[in-house]
Amino acid sequence: MDKYIRFDWAAKRMLRDKANFGVLEGLMTVLLNEKVTIVELLESEGNQEAQDDKFNRVDIKARNSKGEIILVEIQQTRELYYLQRILYGVCKTITEHMKLGSKYDDVKKVYSISIVYFDLGKGADYLYHGDTQFVGVHTHDQLVISTRDREAISMVKPKDIFPEYYIIRVNEFNKVATTPLEEWLDYLKDGNIKDDTTTPGLQEAKEKLRYLQMSDAERRAYDRHIDNIMVENDILETKVIEGMEQGRKLGRAEGREEGRAEGREEGRTEGRAEGILSVARNMKQMGMAAKDIIAVTGLSETEIENL
């Protein structure tokens, strides 16, 4: 079976080439349920090529044939306040692409697509979609707004103007792929692409993202990337387990008679805190930037400096 390059690696280094736009267009077409053609890639935040770039998110900003802006972000590691950050990213994008003196009707609709490989909250699904609707408190009908389009008055729903958000929780996908969306999730999670796929984007990925097509140097860099992700995930999982176990031990030791419940809770808290500190020490020893350690552990910069 052919081995295919992970999507996060391809998005960082390969899919920004116009010749490879078809892969991204396919993902967007399947998600948005309409044909998407990328006209251009817009300026986005840097995806550094440094040693610790495995911890940075990958982001792509594109404009489609309707002038709408599509943000695609791939996030490997847990980030506190993730929803707030994607909201800020969308707002920043809207203002960045408004020319000075522009009228408000120049505001472009933004689609935010987040592909996350960490446990983002609780939920049974692997795909969540959010948009903005104004619903009558008493009548329960949806508000429709009149607007001017090409000198004519037309009616639009707020969801046609306000941003839409898609969150793909990759690790929650555990199905046999039978639909185009499920085929994409199968690729995003395990790198699987069916030999006879007709799913938009995955046909192009089969041809352009084969592991064996990379040069020796590219394969070595890619293998290091995968190894680093595995090590990081293993460190985080191990420290969480150790912290929970230490918390249970402290809880058992300190819990006596009426203070038993309080002791257990205090033990859990101390265990979790020690686990977080241990994770931070390991990440610091690996040479990770302070901002990345803060994003994963929630510690302050001062606490990290004192480790």
Side-chain angles (χ1 to χ4, degrees):
M1 178 182 292
D2 283 326
K3 180 179 178 181
Y4 297 100
I5 302 165
R6 280 174 56 112
F7 186 74
D8 62 319
W9 178 272
K12 184 185 285 283
R13 291 166 173 80
M14 303 169 69
L15 301 186
R16 286 171 163 76
D17 186 335
K18 191 168 185 177
N20 298 330
F21 279 5
V23 179
L24 285 172
E25 289 172 347
L27 171 60
M28 298 171 186
T29 293
V30 169
L31 265 183
L32 305 181
N33 200 29
E34 62 175 320
K35 175 65 177 175
V36 173
T37 301
I38 297 175
V39 176
E40 61 177 330
L41 292 186
L42 304 168
E43 186 69 23
S44 62
E45 294 185 38
N47 296 295
Q48 66 189 66
E49 301 288 338
Q51 180 181 1
D52 65 346
D53 69 353
K54 59 186 178 297
F55 299 104
N56 295 335
R57 71 181 186 274
V58 179
D59 61 272
I60 293 178
K61 186 188 297 182
R63 193 192 304 275
N64 66 15
S65 56
K66 295 191 292 186
E68 299 166 332
I69 298 173
I70 302 175
L71 303 175
V72 181
E73 293 188 358
I74 304 105
Q75 181 80 16
Q76 290 287 347
T77 55
R78 183 182 305 279
E79 180 169 336
L80 298 175
Y81 312 117
Y82 186 74
L83 294 181
Q84 291 91 328
R85 193 182 63 69
I86 62 175
L87 172 61
Y88 172 77
V90 167
C91 295
K92 185 166 178 260
T93 296
I94 292 172
T95 56
E96 281 178 346
H97 293 277
M98 284 284 289
K99 296 179 180 178
L100 187 64
S102 296
K103 296 182 295 183
Y104 289 123
D105 61 358
D106 288 334
V107 170
K108 298 299 181 184
K109 183 177 177 68
V110 175
Y111 294 91
S112 172
I113 301 171
S114 296
I115 303 171
V116 298
Y117 286 84
F118 61 90
D119 182 16
L120 179 64
K122 295 182 179 180
D125 210 331
Y126 56 83
L127 175 65
Y128 286 86
H129 172 231
D131 58 29
T132 299
Q133 302 179 47
F134 295 109
V135 179
V137 174
H138 304 99
T139 59
H140 306 294
D141 63 322
Q142 288 193 31
L143 179 65
V144 181
I145 308 294
S146 61
T147 186
R148 181 176 295 278
D149 183 22
R150 295 182 181 177
E151 304 306 320
I153 299 296
S154 58
M155 306 298 288
V156 299
K157 295 179 179 178
K159 66 173 296 183
D160 297 328
I161 300 172
F162 282 76
E164 290 188 42
Y165 300 86
Y166 291 84
I167 296 180
I168 303 174
R169 302 164 75 226
V170 177
N171 294 338
E172 301 303 315
F173 178 73
N174 292 295
K175 299 178 64 177
V176 175
T178 58
T179 67
L181 179 59
E182 290 169 352
E183 284 194 42
W184 257 103
L185 263 295
D186 197 23
Y187 166 58
L188 292 175
K189 183 176 182 180
D190 297 317
N192 298 326
I193 302 178
K194 293 181 178 179
D195 291 337
D196 59 349
T197 186
T198 59
T199 295
L202 293 184
Q203 294 171 299
E204 291 82 356
K206 274 176 59 67
E207 300 302 320
K208 299 178 182 295
L209 302 183
R210 283 193 172 95
Y211 175 78
L212 294 179
Q213 287 181 341
M214 292 193 292
S215 67
D216 290 341
E218 289 172 334
R219 280 201 296 271
R220 285 194 296 271
Y222 176 73
D223 290 341
R224 285 196 301 271
H225 172 73
I226 299 301
D227 289 343
N228 286 331
I229 288 175
M230 293 176 64
V231 168
E232 178 213 0
N233 288 337
D234 185 59
I235 289 173
L236 291 176
E237 183 176 353
T238 299
K239 293 307 177 183
V240 168
I241 293 173
E242 289 177 352
M244 292 176 65
E245 181 59 29
Q246 185 173 359
R248 283 192 290 268
K249 289 179 179 178
L250 287 170
R252 286 194 295 267
E254 296 181 10
R256 295 291 187 273
E257 302 305 330
E258 71 272 6
R260 190 181 303 276
E262 181 180 348
R264 281 199 298 267
E265 180 57 32
E266 184 178 345
R268 291 192 193 98
T269 301
E270 291 181 6
R272 284 194 294 268
E274 180 56 35
I276 290 173
L277 289 173
S278 183
V279 170
R281 289 191 195 98
N282 283 321
M283 296 172 78
K284 189 174 182 180
Q285 290 172 1
M286 292 169 64
M288 288 182 56
K291 62 182 180 61
D292 296 316
I293 301 176
I294 292 170
V296 173
T297 65
L299 297 176
S300 68
E301 188 171 352
T302 300
E303 288 173 316
I304 293 169
E305 290 175 353
N306 292 333
L307 289 175

